[in-house]
């Protein structure tokens, strides 16, 4: 045996790789993502009151319930263990973050059904789904029930005088009453779209807006994941630091959204919103850090993720600027999810021991 | 009824159901099933064409050589569809306005040419007619079921405008859930695909359970005799 074709005697015979395990689990990853969502969620509860908490809780319970039901119906054992991996909980959490905080209770239940049954389990459960389950549910709910899904409220922080109390909130939640007129409001994207549609340009429209529409601190109408955009950013940075996500997707999404926004705003500020409005509105931050980075539905390679992210950002801007709906992040993510297999087909990771074209690497001559 | 014909009927209604087993004719099954009435009307129109086409094909099967059979079948089917199209325009005008183009498109419904090729051209006239009727009714049943589910979830009604199709005396079929806003998605194309998918899954599950039960019973019977 010459030195150029050395073989290493395997440590353990007849056991397939991997031989070492880093100790990471699905459960731990899911838990860390939930931890990263916590600041923004808590801030959302404070801004929008008990209503938002009930919606969040019921969405998660609904997702867990349908997950258990689907597993039981399909005769898969280990229901408790599958529920315990936290993936259904995270799906519910992300869905709740994207809903209007005062949505009625049945939105949460139907959303859980669509996300878990139609978005995940029919494809074969965790790791098998083609589309992001939370976004499937978000889009299906938006298309099915346009009215309750576009009713936003002005934030009335908890413990302040006009905020409804626990019992009142529960009553409104369960009876599916629309938000009181004094609280009903529009999100920035929705407001600007309506004003443009009735022929008022943005320079005038945003001057006379009913509530502060852009606020760095998040006290403005929107979903839980929209209002506290900066806290979402903090959570995203935590995920980056922990190595749960890489920089490729989030940066690409934000750039894909910011660049066309900057160009558009520079050319015609009366027609196109500014970069900060785009980045802080809608699901931009949540989508960039928490939704587009989903392992299952995004490409495997860094280059693929950059392509995926730019596509998401660009499509979001296009839908927001020219589409019929004010917000386009969910649609953009689903469209790019559909392209993920194609991206993965053309941009493949390098196989260990081979070059990018699949030819074996030449092993350098050993000096020994 | 002989054993063969019973088999033909069972195949058409369930075992070889056009939509739910053969997955044929999905274009009308998706496009017109926004309500139970539309599904029923489309299904019955297709059944009429299917029965007549099967009968005619079985009658001429010995005189038409196999080289020219496809054009001949197509001309036959196109003629029959035109007849049904005109008849519906005359007598079921309101339903015709809803189904519109899809009635004319029955001519390229793959189920009809499929049955002519797969069954009628090899069978007696009686068997071909029974097959056409059973396949057509199976198709009607599937379309009506998809339509009813989509209508119920999407608009909160059942058999809306049934009197257009069946006459004023059937107005009692029309039902509506009060205070239900409706899930628009179910009326849109994705709703049709989702409902069809769940129905397919349901049918397969049901068949597997029945098979398992039959196997178990057979096994026990063998065990007893052995």
């Amino acid at each position: 045996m010459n030195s150029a074709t050395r073989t290493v005697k395997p440590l353990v015979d007849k056991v397939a790789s991997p031989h070492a395990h880093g100790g990471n689990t699905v459960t731990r990853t899911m838990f860390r993502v939930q931890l990263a969502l916590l600041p923004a969620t808590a801030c959302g509860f404070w801004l929008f009151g008990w209503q938002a908490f009930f919606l969040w809780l019921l969405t998660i319970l609904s997702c867990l319930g349908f997950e258990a039901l689907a597993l039981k119906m399909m005769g898969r054992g280990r229901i408790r263990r599958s529920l315990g991996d936290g993936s259904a909980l995270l799906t519910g959490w992300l869905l709740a973050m994207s809903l209007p905080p005062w949505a009625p209770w049945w939105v949460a239940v139907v959303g859980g059904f669509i996300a878990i049954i139609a978005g995940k389990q029919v494809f074969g459960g965790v790791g098998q789904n083609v589309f992001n389950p939370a976004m499937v549910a978000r889009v299906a709910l938006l298309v099915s029930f346009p009215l309750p899904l576009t009713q936003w409220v002005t934030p009335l922080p908890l413990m302040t005088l006009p905020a409804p109390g626990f019992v009142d909130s529960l009553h409104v939640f369960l009876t599916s009453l629309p938000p009181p007129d004094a609280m009903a409001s529009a999100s920035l994207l929705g407001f600007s779209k309506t004003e443009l549609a009735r022929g008022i340009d943005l320079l005038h429209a945003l001057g006379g807006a009913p509530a502060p529409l852009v606020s760095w601190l998040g006290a403005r109408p929107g979903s839980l994941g929209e209002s506290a955009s900066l806290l979402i950013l903090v959570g995203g940075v935590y995920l980056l630091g922990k190595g749960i996500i890489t920089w490729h997707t989030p940066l690409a999404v934000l750039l894909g959204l910011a660049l066309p926004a900057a160009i558009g705003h520079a050319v015609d500020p009366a027609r196109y919103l500014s970069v900060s409005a785009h980045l802080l509105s809608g699901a931009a931050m949540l989508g960039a850090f928490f939704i587009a980075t989903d392992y299952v539905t995004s490409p495997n390679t860094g280059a693929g993720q950059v392509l995926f992210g730019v596509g998401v950002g660009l499509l979001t801007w296009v839908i927001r600027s020219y589409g019929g709906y004010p917000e386009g992040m969910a649609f953009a993510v689903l469209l790019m999810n559909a392209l993920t297999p194609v991206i993965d087909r053309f941009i493949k990771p390098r196989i260990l021991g081979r070059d990018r074209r699949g030819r074996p690497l030449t092993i350098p001559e050993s000096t020994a | 009824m002989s054993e063969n014909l019973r088999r033909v009927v069972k195949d058409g209604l369930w075992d070889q159901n056009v939509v739910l087993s053969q997955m044929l004719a999905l274009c009308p099954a998706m496009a017109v099933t926004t309500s139970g009435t539309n599904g029923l009307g489309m299904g019955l129109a297709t059944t009429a064409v299917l029965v007549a086409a099967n009968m005619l094909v079985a009658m001429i099967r010995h005189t038409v050589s196999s080289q020219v059979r496809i054009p001949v079948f197509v001309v036959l089917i196109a003629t029959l569809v035109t007849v049904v199209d005109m008849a519906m325009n005359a007598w079921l005008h309101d339903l015709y306005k809803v189904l519109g183009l899809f009635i004319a498109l029955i001519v390229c419904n793959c189920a009809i040419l499929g049955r002519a090729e797969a069954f009628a051209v090899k069978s007696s006239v009686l068997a071909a007619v029974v097959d056409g009727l059973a396949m057509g009714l199976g198709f009607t049943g599937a379309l009506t079921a998809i339509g009813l589910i989509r209508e119920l979830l999407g608009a909160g009604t059942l058999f809306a405008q049934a009197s257009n199709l069946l006459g004023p005396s059937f107005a009692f079929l029309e039902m509506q859930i009060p205070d239900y806003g409706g899930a628009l998605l179910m009326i849109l194309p994705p709703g049709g695909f989702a409902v069809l998918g769940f129905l397919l899954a349901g049918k397969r599950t049901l068949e597997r359970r029945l098979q398992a039960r039959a196997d178990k019973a057979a096994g026990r019977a063998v065990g007893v005799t052995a």
Side-chain angles (χ1 to χ4, degrees):
Chain A
M1 185 184 300
N2 67 38
S3 57
T5 57
R6 279 182 304 165
T7 53
V8 180
K9 187 180 184 301
L11 294 172
V12 184
D13 280 334
K14 293 176 185 168
V15 175
S17 63
H19 301 296
H21 194 277
N24 200 5
T25 58
V26 174
T27 312
R28 186 196 285 179
T29 303
M30 296 287 172
F31 174 75
R32 283 187 171 154
V33 178
Q34 286 151 18
L35 198 65
L37 279 172
L38 202 56
T41 314
C43 177
F45 292 162
W46 180 68
L47 287 173
F48 296 109
W50 289 105
Q51 197 80 17
F53 174 72
F54 296 142
L55 184 76
W56 174 83
L57 189 69
L58 189 63
T59 311
I60 288 179
L61 286 180
S62 156
C63 280
L64 289 174
F66 282 116
E67 174 105 338
L69 183 73
L71 290 170
K72 188 162 171 53
M73 279 177 68
M74 292 192 296
R76 304 261 168 92
R78 301 176 304 171
I79 289 177
R80 192 171 294 172
R81 195 171 143 196
S82 294
L83 282 183
D85 72 11
S87 59
L89 199 162
L90 184 62
T91 298
W93 196 326
L94 286 172
L95 175 60
M97 297 288 282
S98 76
L99 294 174
W102 280 49
W105 64 270
W106 49 265
V107 165
V109 176
V110 175
F113 172 83
I114 298 169
I116 296 297
I117 305 282
K120 180 176 164 193
Q121 290 294 346
V122 295
F123 293 100
V126 66
Q128 306 290 331
N129 45 303
V130 184
F131 298 101
N132 188 311
M135 290 302 101
V136 170
R138 178 74 176 84
V139 165
L141 287 172
L142 177 64
V143 174
S144 297
F145 314 107
L147 194 59
L149 264 286
T150 47
Q151 282 179 332
W152 309 97
V153 295
T154 43
L156 287 174
L158 266 182
M159 319 302 171
T160 56
L161 199 55
F166 183 84
V167 179
D168 281 350
S169 298
L170 195 63
H171 180 71
V172 172
F173 184 60
L174 291 178
T175 49
S176 311
L177 291 171
D181 285 351
M183 292 184 69
S185 183
S187 65
L188 169 62
L189 293 173
F191 179 73
S192 53
K193 177 130 287 185
T194 342
E195 294 296 281
L196 278 175
R198 59 188 194 120
I200 298 178
D201 68 47
L202 290 177
L203 298 175
H204 293 89
L206 297 180
L213 289 169
V214 180
S215 153
W216 287 87
L217 292 176
R220 64 204 174 105
S223 64
L224 292 185
E226 171 176 10
S227 299
S229 281
L230 286 185
L231 289 176
I232 294 280
L233 184 63
V234 170
V237 171
Y238 166 78
L239 290 184
L240 279 173
K242 283 286 174 193
I244 290 176
I245 60 176
T246 56
W247 56 269
H248 303 84
T249 313
L251 198 68
V253 172
L254 295 179
L255 277 181
L257 182 59
L259 282 183
I263 296 169
H265 191 67
V267 171
D268 187 0
R271 172 71 183 80
Y272 299 103
L273 284 168
S274 64
V275 176
S276 65
H278 269 293
L279 288 185
L280 291 176
S281 293
M285 288 293 168
L286 187 73
F289 286 99
F290 289 89
I291 296 191
T293 52
D294 177 20
Y295 292 156
V296 181
T297 54
S298 65
N300 291 323
T301 52
Q305 286 170 2
V306 169
L307 192 62
F308 177 85
V310 168
V312 169
L314 194 64
L315 282 171
T316 304
W317 182 79
V318 167
I319 295 171
R320 281 179 180 180
S321 302
Y322 307 107
Y325 285 100
E327 166 60 325
M329 180 57 89
F331 293 103
V333 168
L334 291 185
L335 282 167
M336 291 311 290
N337 283 165
L339 285 184
T340 296
V342 182
I343 295 174
D344 268 341
R345 185 174 169 80
F346 287 107
I347 305 179
K348 288 179 181 167
R350 188 175 65 85
I351 300 169
L352 188 68
R354 287 171 184 269
D355 69 4
R356 293 220 159 268
R357 291 181 177 179
R359 289 177 305 220
L361 294 179
T362 50
I363 296 171
E365 289 288 328
S366 162
T367 50
Chain B
M1 195 189 282
S2 75
E3 185 59 34
N4 268 343
L5 285 185
R6 196 167 297 157
R7 182 74 241 159
V8 167
V9 170
K10 192 157 181 292
D11 274 351
L13 293 181
W14 182 261
D15 287 346
Q16 299 286 329
N17 188 295
V18 174
V19 176
L20 296 178
S21 292
Q22 301 185 44
M23 305 277 290
L24 290 178
L26 291 186
C27 170
M30 292 294 100
V32 301
T33 54
T34 49
S35 78
T37 309
N38 290 355
L40 185 63
M42 184 71 197
L44 291 179
T46 311
T47 307
V49 176
L50 196 51
V51 171
N54 263 8
M55 185 176 77
L56 291 176
V57 167
M59 283 160 85
I60 62 169
R61 69 198 153 109
H62 293 303
T63 38
V64 178
S65 70
S66 68
Q67 285 84 354
V68 296
R69 69 185 196 286
I70 300 280
V72 171
F73 293 169
V74 170
V75 169
L76 268 181
I77 295 168
T79 313
L80 292 168
V81 170
T82 310
V83 170
V84 168
D85 186 73
M86 288 175 163
M88 284 186 77
N89 198 354
W91 290 304
L92 297 169
H93 191 65
D94 289 319
L95 187 70
Y96 182 81
K97 278 193 291 191
V98 178
L99 297 179
L101 181 66
F102 290 100
I103 296 294
L105 281 179
I106 296 177
V107 75
C108 46
N109 185 323
C110 43
I112 295 172
L113 194 60
R115 287 329 283 173
E117 271 286 285
F119 193 89
V121 80
K122 308 169 195 162
S123 314
S124 69
V125 175
L126 176 65
V129 169
V130 171
D131 178 74
L133 197 61
M135 283 288 164
L137 291 180
F139 181 68
T140 309
L143 254 63
T144 312
I146 298 173
L148 283 179
I149 296 171
R150 286 178 72 182
E151 187 184 356
L152 183 68
L153 295 175
T157 57
L158 275 181
F159 283 118
Q161 277 136 24
S163 44
N164 280 351
L165 171 67
L166 303 163
S169 51
F170 283 89
F172 72 91
L173 277 176
E174 299 174 17
M175 279 174 272
Q176 183 162 16
I177 308 175
D179 296 331
Y180 180 69
L184 191 58
L185 189 75
M186 300 308 290
I187 298 289
L188 298 174
F193 283 101
V195 169
L196 179 65
F198 280 110
L199 282 181
L200 289 175
K203 182 170 187 280
R204 291 193 61 173
T205 311
L206 187 64
E207 282 172 349
R208 195 180 298 168
R209 295 240 166 113
L210 289 177
Q211 187 63 43
R213 193 179 300 170
D215 287 350
K216 208 173 168 186
R220 194 173 294 154
V222 170
V224 167
T225 50

